[in-house]
Amino acid sequence: VFLLNSSTLLLTRHFSKSSAARPGELWDAVVLTAADAAQAGAFREQLAEKLRREQLPRAVRYLVCADPPGPRIGNGGSTLHALRCLEEQYGDQWTSFTVLLIHSGGYSQRLPNASALGKIFTALPLGEPLYQMLELKLSMYIDFPRHMKPGVLVTCSDDIELYSTGVTEAITFDKPGFTALAHPSDLAVGTTHGVFVLDPSSFSGKGGLEYGSCYRFLHKPDVETMHQSGAVCVRRDRPQLSSPGSCGDSAVASECVYTDSVFYMDHSTAQQLLHFYKQMGTLGCEIDAYGDFLQALGPGATPDYTKNTRNVSKEDSGLVAVRQQLYSLLQGTALNVIVLNNSQFYHIGTTQEYLFHFTAESKLRFELGLQPVAFSICPDSPGCVIGPGSVIEYSRIGPEVSVGKGSIVSGSYINFSVDIPSECFLSSVSVKMADGVEYVTMVFGVGDDLKKSVKSLSDIHSLRFFGASLPECLDLWSLEASDQLFSSEDTRLGLWTARIFPVCSTLSESVRMSLNMLNSVQHKSAFKVSGFQLLSVEEMLTYKDVEDMLQFRKQIYDEICLQRQKEKSDYRMNGT
């Protein structure tokens, strides 16, 4: 039986409508981290709405922690800051808590339909009414609090873990130090994840669930390092749950490594880290909860990693010193591993992963029974066509709208006749401007790289928008390439910071304008936008109007509920 199944999902919803959970049955606190105060406000509004609708367990404390202002601190810094928030909010009471800490901050540049309201509130085409990632997380980990000593379970908002264990087996978090889940993966997956070098004396590689210890933790190692460190295992049995990314796709011998997903730290270890954070005062650099905490653990840990900045997106002057202090603090702390031999880890962090897992014939779609349309109204009309492999979420689509293959449409209202091309990304945002609420729609190719940036205007030809270079697009739109075209203050010139999207007075008009821009690029025909106020994606998120976006979602939600009630009523009447 997979951890996640229909009865687990129903149990989560049961707890939402009842406060009759037994002590220890639910999390004492669920903490969401946010990148800043604005994102924290958006999260709190959405939590309040979900509690009002009885979609979350009421007996749980929900806490949103915004990262402190100033330089980014990474998910490691967010973890430390969340511990401080817990102490400030609950005092000594939190020492007895079981806490689920979900890293939800950041602006999701690789999955921008989740940027405005957060990945943790991404719609999942699953359940009735439909789930968001938050409910899925609570459902996946519903058994954990009962088998956990006070402490903190750390997870991310864009991954899903499914596994199979024996009927009498339970995952238990009761050891001091850190305890991490480990999943069999092929070596290519290991190069982009954390990899455990397991202590052979504590691990056999047989059975669905094993408790072992980790000799050393590797962060995004190359294949040679995995072999040299003794991380590579040979498996000859076929696991019950397999996919192209997991070990044992065939019954013959295959090499694999055990990769990370979520980890737990007991309360005394969390208290140690909190004390460290208080002493530091201000971090001033980005630290990684996985790379910078877990690499310090286990008897085989060495301080060499503290000077390795190969996997760091932005190198800060103080990073090495902070890592060395963390290493000194955590050295000698145990890293216990719960090996889940029949398991699979799924990441939903990019547009390609989102489309593959939610629409293609993926194992995740099969295991969860996912559908391609989420929280949207699409008319039953021969003129309304949704191509295979496309996702429509939180949108209202008219009777003459055709969507090509492999596209994403999010938060949009399309009440005009249009053919949306294949592999198109379209997402609308409500913004607070001087004249009140207005609307902007971002449009890109699904494969466009919104994280890529250059430092000089002479290099912007390397930025690609739906297959064309950015300067080509600017010419078609009558826009001039200048420093003023970009919103970033630190010379990051990219699609994320390019002021190219028109501000419009209605949602449907903003969609129309952006699709016209895309059409001009596809057909190399001019479409002038220079007369409009233009925003970058970065600025859309700065000016976003959370209340208006949630109101649009609520209208769709209420309409779908009424429609389904009518369908049920009609069915009962026809049945009699």
Side-chain angles (χ1 to χ4, degrees), residues 6-284:
S6 57
S7 60
T8 308
L9 294 168
L10 286 170
L11 190 56
T12 304
R13 288 255 159 102
H14 162 73
F15 285 139
S16 306
K17 298 177 187 298
S18 161
S19 55
R22 292 187 294 275
E25 202 162 25
L26 296 174
W27 298 98
D28 293 305
V30 171
V31 180
L32 306 184
T33 65
D36 52 35
Q39 192 175 60
F43 288 0
R44 290 186 188 107
E45 282 190 50
Q46 291 174 91
L47 283 171
E49 179 66 12
K50 294 180 85 62
L51 286 164
R52 188 188 68 76
R53 287 186 190 158
E54 299 185 326
Q55 291 177 348
L56 292 174
R58 289 177 174 176
V60 174
R61 301 166 183 86
Y62 297 94
L63 181 65
V64 179
C65 297
D67 286 351
R72 293 184 179 181
I73 57 175
N75 60 19
S78 295
T79 300
L80 299 177
H81 190 68
L83 298 179
R84 185 170 206 158
C85 290
L86 279 163
E87 184 181 64
E88 288 173 353
Q89 185 75 19
Y90 304 113
D92 291 340
Q93 193 182 2
W94 89 282
T95 61
S96 63
F97 281 5
T98 55
V99 178
L100 175 60
L101 171 56
I102 307 175
H103 284 297
S104 321
Y107 281 106
S108 188
Q109 288 174 283
R110 294 184 299 169
L111 187 63
N113 54 308
S115 294
L117 297 176
K119 279 184 191 174
I120 195 64
F121 297 102
T122 299
L124 297 173
L126 169 75
E128 175 76 27
L130 290 170
Y131 283 80
Q132 292 175 321
M133 187 63 93
L134 178 55
E135 290 105 304
L136 186 65
K137 284 279 175 187
L138 294 176
S139 301
M140 286 192 298
Y141 308 145
I142 199 164
D143 286 331
F144 289 0
R146 278 179 285 178
H147 305 285
M148 180 182 289
K149 286 188 175 177
V152 181
L153 186 80
V154 178
T155 185
C156 294
S157 58
D158 58 4
D159 58 48
I160 295 170
E161 302 85 26
L162 299 180
Y163 62 83
S164 160
T165 62
V167 177
T168 59
E169 292 177 315
I171 290 183
T172 303
F173 300 94
D174 59 356
K175 293 183 172 64
F178 288 77
T179 302
L181 300 187
H183 312 272
S185 305
D186 65 29
L187 273 59
V189 171
T191 61
T192 58
H193 287 75
V195 172
F196 301 101
V197 181
L198 299 171
D199 179 351
S201 66
S202 69
F203 165 72
S204 70
K206 297 174 182 174
L209 181 150
E210 278 191 279
Y211 291 89
S213 59
C214 181
Y215 175 73
R216 184 182 170 199
F217 179 82
L218 310 173
H219 187 55
K220 298 182 180 178
D222 56 35
V223 172
E224 185 182 0
T225 303
M226 292 184 223
H227 277 287
Q228 288 175 348
S229 305
V232 179
C233 305
V234 176
R235 296 191 18 143
R236 301 180 188 281
D237 56 324
R238 183 198 296 270
Q240 296 168 30
L241 177 62
S242 65
S243 80
S246 68
C247 299
D249 284 338
S250 65
V252 296
S254 61
E255 287 187 331
C256 75
V257 288
Y258 284 89
T259 54
D260 63 347
S261 61
V262 307
F263 69 82
Y264 159 87
M265 51 182 156
D266 73 324
H267 182 76
S268 117
T269 304
Q271 197 75 52
Q272 260 186 297
L273 284 168
L274 174 57
H275 182 65
F276 165 81
Y277 183 56
K278 286 177 177 176
Q279 283 186 316
M280 287 290 296
T282 305
L283 280 177

Side-chain angles (χ1 to χ4, degrees), residues 508-528:
S508 62
E509 187 58 24
S510 81
V511 176
R512 187 196 298 269
M513 286 293 296
S514 293
L515 287 175
N516 282 341
M517 291 173 67
L518 178 56
N519 184 64
S520 82
V521 172
Q522 283 190 297
H523 297 97
K524 302 289 187 281
S525 58
F527 181 73
K528 188 175 178 180

